[in-house]
Amino acid sequence: MKQIKRQLTRAAIASAFGGTVAIASGLATMQPANAQAAYGSYVGVGAAIGLTEEADTGDGGGFSGVIAGRYRFLRMPVSIRATAFIFGSSMALVPTVSYDYPLTWNTDIYLGAGISFPTGDDDPSPVGNETSFVLQPGIDYMFPNSRLALFGNAIIAFGGYREGGNTAISLQGGVGYQF
């Protein structure tokens, strides 16, 4: 019986010592937490307003509906985005690739670059009526404990207008559903 007690005591001491070593090694290798880019790809709807007009005709600006989407690569701070301007006087599609910078665990800002493809012949969309290079600064906010995302951005289309070649600028925002 004494021998069993000794073996149990030795096992308990070894177990306690092993647990202490495991905890100490875990603490020694810990690193500070870093903010991660907002999690989740989404598809959303919203509205846009054009802030500029074509130089010669004064056309442009106006309101439009938008359908926006984001596909986020989980291991890189990069996303593929697309914005479709619909229900206005003209339509346009703007695909971009963005670099995402996390502000908090559920908010990130980004800067995207891409091309605007307008489909209308005469009336400009909020991003103009000429195929052009675009920059897209913006922000995404993922609501905690929800699948909803709030997005807002600007699209700056360099040479976006046929007449005069002015830069077209639009602001858009909306609500998305994460998948």
Side-chain angles (χ1 to χ4, degrees):
M1 189 65 142
K2 287 183 181 181
Q3 196 173 31
I4 294 174
K5 278 186 174 180
R6 282 186 200 150
Q7 288 177 347
L8 288 175
T9 303
R10 286 182 190 153
I13 291 170
S15 176
F17 179 74
T20 303
V21 169
I23 291 171
S25 73
L27 290 174
T29 60
M30 286 180 58
Q31 295 180 7
N34 293 324
Q36 298 294 314
Y39 184 81
S41 303
Y42 64 79
V43 174
V45 295
I49 182 169
L51 302 178
T52 56
E53 297 177 344
E54 203 165 27
D56 296 341
T57 65
D59 292 336
F63 291 95
S64 178
V66 293
I67 297 174
R70 170 194 187 193
Y71 178 78
R72 183 181 176 280
F73 294 99
L74 294 179
R75 301 238 181 237
M76 298 181 292
V78 174
S79 296
I80 296 174
R81 299 173 185 272
T83 304
F85 292 86
I86 56 174
F87 306 125
S89 58
S90 183
M91 295 179 12
L93 178 63
V94 182
T96 60
V97 175
S98 68
Y99 176 79
D100 307 329
Y101 181 80
L103 294 178
T104 66
W105 68 271
N106 62 342
T107 304
D108 58 84
I109 57 174
Y110 60 89
L111 178 62
I115 298 177
S116 170
F117 297 103
T119 60
D121 292 332
D122 295 326
D123 293 332
S125 71
V127 290
N129 56 1
E130 184 73 14
T131 299
S132 58
F133 171 76
V134 302
L135 288 179
Q136 183 184 36
I139 187 167
D140 286 331
Y141 175 77
M142 307 302 170
F143 289 99
N145 303 318
S146 172
R147 290 205 170 266
L148 294 180
L150 187 65
F151 65 89
N153 60 57
I155 292 181
I156 304 160
F158 296 95
Y161 292 110
R162 285 193 189 118
E163 303 296 326
N166 288 353
T167 298
I169 301 172
S170 71
L171 296 176
Q172 44 279 332
V175 176
Y177 181 79
Q178 294 183 70
F179 59 89

